[in-house]
């Protein structure tokens, strides 16, 4: 509507400008008593500075002048303010005057009458709806007589509204707040009071002189009609309610009984249906009284219609028990015992419900009815505490039930004396010849010879039991000097079972073998594996199946079984190297050094062409400190594979690590002749560098690069040596050759760029190099990061800031080129943690957090990024969090040395001794090799031969604080 | 700065794009206003990066008296990009400050809070200090 001007001070407002409305503002109304802010906009009667005509005009159309909205809704028959928009001239003024005179005249004419009428109306209104002031006017007048003391004694009104209303009112009613406080009654108390009420009703009718003997709940609803109870209801309300409930229940009971004994003679109530109905009705808490009542009625119907149905009685008794009426439950189950004397469950339930002394009687009764029930005998035995009595009971039971295995076992376990037990068992196996457990127990108790006899007899009695065979094998294993018998026994067993048809599958046998291993019978275990591993496996599947089995056994911790499987497999396939390799790994992880050594020796005998075994053996020896033995093994390896690069390298490494440089040199000369590979050349150069003979190294390199021009590392080494000697031009040449021969080697490009930037101080060349590298190797985050860093450094140099410029400064100054590059880089490789870490470092401090969230979304599991975030936390002094994140990064990639170094730095600055030690130990265990900060230090020839811990210290020293 | 017409007040509010416009409605001769003006003058330079201050004489410019209920001797209101920013001062009236503030730092904090809240698009910010009577007495 009105344009915004910047220099408004001292300027006049545009015509017809309405302040506030002109900028679309609306006011507010907080206190309607001091002025309507919204109802009348400030145009109507706002300012005195308004021009004259508007004001005057508003006199006529006063109420409507405010807004067009009000005009739209006015009465069409009686329109006002129609001409408010016209100019107000003299005629209008005259007309107004005339109208005013007429109004005054009219007012004068009926003045007295009108006033009288108005007074009358007012009185009428007051009579109809009197004001409170008027109502109490007489009382108010009396207030004048009150003295100062009276006023003092007027009580405070107090807090009648608000949250404490309920309590406050209660406190007003009763002076003691504690007595008026209500707390919910616990369910247990309700149940108790209900039971109490039940007792009361049972007592009350007696006191009233009633003849019927009513135990509550038990005899209710049977045949005794209680006509007295209703009429002589006790006075207390609570008892009355209980009474009423009981009468209702009785009526229901009658009805149910009537249903069950209908005229046709057959029951109309299906007891089975009732029982399933009861099953589905779970009594969840004691408070479900209504459910208990209903269940009681149902169960009563069940027991009365079909009294020979034992589960009905048990359910009824249990219900009473749940309802808390134990005596009731006992009575019910006693009747159940009478009705269903042949059901052992009912008896057991009765014994359970009764106290111990009474339970014995119940069980004695039960035994007379059911002498063959093992359960009842066992229950009776459990109740006896005296071992002698127990034994006697068992004997009696065995007389009646001689072929119960359970009883025999109990009897044997009760015997403390082994001879007695043996006698018992020998009797038992005669009577129950099929009980394998008894046979085994007997065999265990006998000495070796007798045990063999027992087992032979058992085998005849139960020919299908493999447990007996296994027991025989174990017996042989236990007996010293009979170890070779184990295999025979197992072989016979397997033969026997395979003749009978496959009763035992291969998996079952393997499981048995593992079981034997757990019980420390390794020979039996091995014998089983040997005999059964080949069972029903197709010859072509054998290898895979066995490897699979062995792996599973290893994962379950059954090392012996796995070892046995491998041993067998190796026997069958002596030339399969992966089998040997697996077996070797098993030995390495779980076995001893000797067993591994022995296995490796055998392995190289069978597969001499396989370098891995030689190397493994040599490494084991070397790690054990036996350098000569390692050398010997490698010597043998040379005989087997004269032109193997791997073995050459291993031998050279062995010599170099042990600082026998001359030996190494001789070896290398030989190696160069026999196995002419770039790696060996590189090693030769490395050796010369380590021994500080750069010229020799350069000579070697010349030959090597002529021979292997596309091996990038050679070029790199050459360039580095020149750099060290400050031959920048030579270094540049070697890098250039390198990049032309191997354009895909990223480190070579980076080295070349660094040379240009740092040594030659030609950032433009470096930039061009990196650009070309990126062109040749698209999607390589390392190149991008290098380029970004180059830009950042250039900008810093230009700004004259130190290398530890504040992050904000870096962010702002880097906005030009480095940020541009970073954005491009992230577009090209959005998944690169390296780039994101760089982005985090470049972001201004305030944005780092949000940046890190973005980064985590893009690449969740990148150790470099996680390390960067950990450092971010560190810089915010969130040490605990930083520690956790370092831990995550280290777990994701334990080979990344940077993580360990940074972490160690954190612990050095803020951690305790223990924490430092923990990091060092974990690092040594991980043995890292990679990392942007790690590699330059670890590979530095000055640090050759340092341990991991020393390297960690060195790398950490190079790090700056985040 | 003083504004002498309603239009000028409106322009003052409209003309600022990223600063809080603080307007004191009252009279220069009023003792409460004098105290407040002293505080405003002294913080104006320090907060010039995010706030601008205007004084409006409510007799000379009565246009906003009804609209903003300007019945108190001294009223301070905050605007940001033509939006009235309310401040929860703990007094019950979030629309304006109707007393004088003597502590400069307190005033700076308040204006900064308003600025930060307004930048985030809030129409109501919570004052760093609670001005309810429980702290006053």
């Amino acid at each position: 509507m009105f344009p915004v001007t910047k220099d408004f001070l001292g300027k006049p407002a545009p015509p017809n400008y309405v302040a506030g409305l002109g900028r679309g503002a609306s006011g507010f109304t907080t206190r309607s008593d001091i002025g309507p802010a919204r109802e009348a906009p400030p145009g109507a009667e706002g300012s005195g500075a308004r021009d004259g005509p508007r004001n005057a005009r508003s006199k006529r159309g006063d109420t409507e002048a405010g807004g067009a909205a009000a005009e739209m809704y006015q009465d069409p028959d009686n329109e006002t303010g129609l001409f408010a928009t016209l100019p107000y001239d003299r005629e209008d003024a005259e007309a107004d005057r005339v109208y005013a005179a007429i109004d005054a005249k009219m007012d004068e004419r009926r003045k007295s009458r009108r006033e009288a009428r108005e007074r009358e109306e007012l009185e009428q209104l007051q009579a109809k709806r009197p004001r409170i002031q008027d109502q109490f006017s007489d009382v108010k007048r009396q207030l004048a007589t009150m003295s100062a003391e009276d006023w003092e004694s007027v009580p405070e009104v107090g807090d009648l509204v608000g949250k404490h209303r309920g309590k406050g009112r209660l406190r007003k009613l009763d002076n003691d707040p504690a007595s008026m406080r209500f707390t919910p009654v616990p369910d247990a108390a309700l149940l108790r009071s209900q039971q109490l009420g039940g007792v009361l009703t049972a007592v009350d009718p007696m006191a009233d002189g009633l003849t019927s003997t009513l135990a509550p709940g038990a005899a209710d609803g049977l045949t005794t009609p209680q006509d007295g109870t209703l009429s002589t209801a006790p006075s207390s309300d609570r008892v009355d309610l209980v009474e009423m409930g009981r009468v209702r229940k009785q009526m229901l009971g009658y009805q149910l009984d009537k249903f069950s004994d209908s005229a046709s003679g057959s029951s109309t109530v299906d007891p089975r249906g009732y029982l399933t109905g009861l099953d589905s009705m779970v009594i969840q808490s004691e408070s479900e009284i209504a459910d208990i009542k209903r269940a009681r009625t149902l169960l009563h119907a069940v027991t009365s219609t079909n009294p020979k149905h034992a589960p009905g009685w048990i359910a009824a008794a249990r219900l009473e028990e749940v309802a808390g009426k134990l005596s009731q439950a006992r009575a019910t189950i006693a009747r159940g015992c009478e009705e269903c004397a042949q059901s052992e469950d009912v008896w057991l339930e009765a014994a359970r419900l009764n106290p111990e002394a009474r339970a014995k009687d119940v069980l004695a009764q039960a035994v007379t009815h059911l002498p063959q029930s093992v359960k009842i005998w066992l229950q009776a035995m459990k109740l006896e505490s005296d071992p002698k009595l127990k034994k006697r009971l068992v004997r009696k039971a065995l007389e009646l039930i001689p072929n119960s295995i359970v009883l025999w076992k109990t009897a044997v376990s009760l015997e403390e004396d082994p001879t007695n037990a043996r006698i018992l068992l020998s009797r038992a196996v005669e009577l129950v010849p099929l009980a394998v457990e008894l046979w085994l127990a007997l065999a265990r108790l006998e000495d070796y010879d007798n045990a063999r006899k027992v087992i032979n007899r058992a085998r005849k009695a139960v020919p299908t039991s493999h447990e007996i065979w296994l027991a025989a094998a174990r017996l042989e294993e236990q007996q010293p000097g009979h170890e070779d018998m184990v295999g025979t026994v197992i072989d016979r067993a397997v033969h026997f079972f395979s003749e009978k048809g496959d009763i035992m599958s291969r998996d079952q046998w393997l499981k048995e073998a593992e079981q034997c291993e757990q019980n420390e019978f390794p020979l039996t275990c091995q014998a089983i594996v040997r005999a059964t591993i080949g069972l029903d496996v197709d010859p072509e599947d054998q290898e895979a199946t066995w490897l699979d089995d062995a792996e599973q056994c290893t994962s379950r911790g059954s090392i012996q079984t796995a070892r046995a499987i491998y041993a067998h497999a190796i026997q069958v396939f002596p030339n399969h190297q992966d089998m040997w390799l697996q077996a070797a790994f098993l030995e390495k992880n779980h076995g001893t050094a000797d067993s591994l050594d022995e296995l490796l020796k055998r392995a190289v005998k069978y597969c001499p062409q396989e370098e891995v075994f030689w190397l493994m053996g040599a490494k084991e020896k070397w790690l054990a400190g036996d350098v000569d033995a390692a050398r010997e093994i490698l010597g043998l390896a040379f005989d087997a594979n004269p032109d193997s690069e791997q073995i050459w390298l291993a031998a050279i490494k062995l010599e170099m690590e042990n600082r026998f440089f001359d030996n190494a040199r001789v070896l290398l000369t030989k190696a160069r002749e026999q196995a002419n590979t770039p790696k060996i050349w590189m090693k030769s150069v490395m050796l010369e560098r380590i021994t500080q003979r750069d010229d020799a190294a350069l000579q070697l390199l010349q030959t090597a690069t002529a021979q292997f021009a596309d091996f990038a590392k050679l070029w790199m080494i050459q360039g580095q040596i020149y750099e060290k000697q400050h031959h920048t031009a030579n270094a540049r040449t070697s890098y250039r050759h390198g990049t032309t021969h191997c354009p895909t080697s990223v480190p070579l490009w980076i080295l070349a760029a660094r040379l240009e930037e740092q040594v030659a101080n030609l950032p433009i060349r470096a930039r061009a190099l990196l650009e070309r590298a990126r062109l040749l190797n698209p999607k390589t985050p390392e190149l991008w990061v290098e380029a970004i860093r180059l830009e950042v450094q250039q900008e810093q140099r230009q700004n004259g800031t130190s290398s530890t410029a504040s992050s904000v400064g870096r962010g702002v100054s880097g906005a030009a080129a480095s940020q541009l590059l970073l954005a491009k880089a992230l577009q090209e490789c959005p998944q690169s943690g390296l780039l994101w870490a760089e982005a985090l470092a470049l972001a201004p401090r305030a944005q780092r957090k949000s940046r890190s969230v973005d980064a985590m979304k893009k690449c969740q599991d990148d150790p470099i990024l996680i390390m960067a975030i950990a450092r971010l936390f560190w810089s915010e002094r969130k040490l605990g969090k930083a520690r956790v994140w370092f831990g995550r990064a280290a777990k994701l990639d334990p080979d990344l040395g940077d993580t360990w170094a940074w972490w160690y730095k954190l612990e050095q600055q803020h951690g305790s001794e223990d924490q430092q030690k923990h990091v060092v130990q974990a690092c040594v265990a991980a043995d890292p090799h990679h990392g942007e900060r790690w590699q330059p230090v670890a590979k530095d020839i000055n640090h050759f031969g340092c341990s991991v811990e020393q390297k960690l210290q060195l790398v950490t020293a190079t790090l700056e604080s985040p | 700065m003083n504004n002498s017409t309603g239009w000028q007040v409106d322009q003052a509010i409209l003309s600022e794009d990223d600063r809080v416009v603080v307007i004191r409605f009252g009279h220069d001769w009023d003792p409460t206003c004098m105290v407040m003006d002293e505080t405003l003058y002294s913080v104006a330079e320090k907060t010039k990066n995010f706030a601008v201050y205007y004084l409006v004489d409510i007799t000379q410019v009565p246009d906003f008296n009804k609209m903003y209920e300007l019945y108190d001797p001294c009223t301070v209101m905050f605007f940001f990009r033509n939006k009235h920013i309310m401040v929860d001062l703990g007094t019950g009236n979030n629309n304006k400050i109707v007393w004088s503030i003597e502590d400069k730092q307190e005033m700076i904090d308040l204006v900064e809070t308003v600025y930060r809240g307004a930048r985030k698009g809030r129409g109501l910010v919570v004052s760093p200090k609670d001005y309810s009577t429980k702290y006053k007495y």
Side-chain angles (χ1 to χ4, degrees), chain A residues 876-948:
Chain A
E876 287 169 6
R877 309 262 323 158
K878 290 176 184 163
L879 300 178
K881 248 182 178 172
R883 222 161 260 155
V884 172
W885 281 75
F886 273 130
R888 268 182 71 184
K891 206 171 182 185
L892 273 173
D893 188 3
D895 197 35
L896 191 68
D898 289 10
T899 317
W900 298 107
W902 281 110
W903 194 0
Y904 188 58
K905 180 109 184 163
L906 170 79
E907 299 299 2
Q908 266 185 344
Q909 283 184 4
H910 307 286
S912 67
E913 199 107 303
D914 279 353
Q915 283 166 325
Q916 289 178 21
K917 216 173 277 168
H918 168 74
V919 175
V920 171
Q921 274 168 3
C923 177
V924 170
D927 190 14
H929 285 105
H930 294 99
E932 195 185 337
R933 310 297 292 264
W934 181 271
Q935 269 165 315
V937 179
K939 285 199 171 173
D940 195 333
I941 43 170
N942 297 326
H943 303 147
F944 175 75
C946 289
S947 71
V948 179

Side-chain angles (χ1 to χ4, degrees), chain A residues 306-320:
Chain A
N306 190 0
K308 295 292 176 201
H309 187 61
W313 288 107
I314 294 172
R318 288 218 174 131
L319 177 70
E320 296 301 343

Side-chain angles (χ1 to χ4, degrees), chain A residues 855-868:
Chain A
M856 279 307 279
K857 260 183 221 153
K858 288 279 192 229
C859 37
Q860 273 186 346
D861 297 332
D862 194 293
I864 299 175
L865 174 65
I866 287 175
M867 188 177 67

